[in-house]
Amino acid sequence: MALSRRMAAPVVFVVLLLVATGTCAAETVTARVVADETHCLSQSHTFKGMCFSSENCASVCKSENFPSGECKMHGATRKCFCKVVC
């Protein structure tokens, strides 16, 4: 019983390490695909106030005929920027 308790921690650690490594590899491939696309940004003309929700920003950008949008820092404030693949 004492041997199995001593072996449990390293076995759990190795399993978690393998799971984490698999997840990171998938994210790297996804990041590589997104990096190949160049996005052009344009500050929204109709969004009012500071941008706290990228979902709100994307909704406003869609009304301005952009496919998506996100909040980004611009100086000391967060503004809504609409994105399109260039």
Side-chain angles (χ1 to χ4, degrees), residues 23-72:
T23 303
C24 290
E27 290 174 0
T28 302
V29 171
T30 304
R32 202 173 294 145
V33 170
V34 171
D36 290 342
E37 296 179 346
T38 304
H39 288 98
C40 294
L41 297 176
S42 173
Q43 187 174 343
S44 172
H45 294 287
T46 58
F47 192 91
K48 303 291 184 207
M50 282 187 32
C51 187
F52 294 107
S53 168
S54 287
E55 289 178 18
N56 254 359
C57 177
S59 174
V60 171
C61 287
K62 286 179 182 174
S63 73
E64 295 180 21
N65 296 323
F66 284 92
S68 65
E70 66 181 45
C71 299
K72 290 198 167 277

Side-chain angles (χ1 to χ4, degrees), residues 69-84:
E70 66 181 45
C71 299
K72 290 198 167 277
M73 286 300 292
H74 184 75
T77 61
R78 291 177 56 89
K79 302 226 180 222
C80 176
F81 286 90
C82 301
K83 293 192 320 184
V84 66

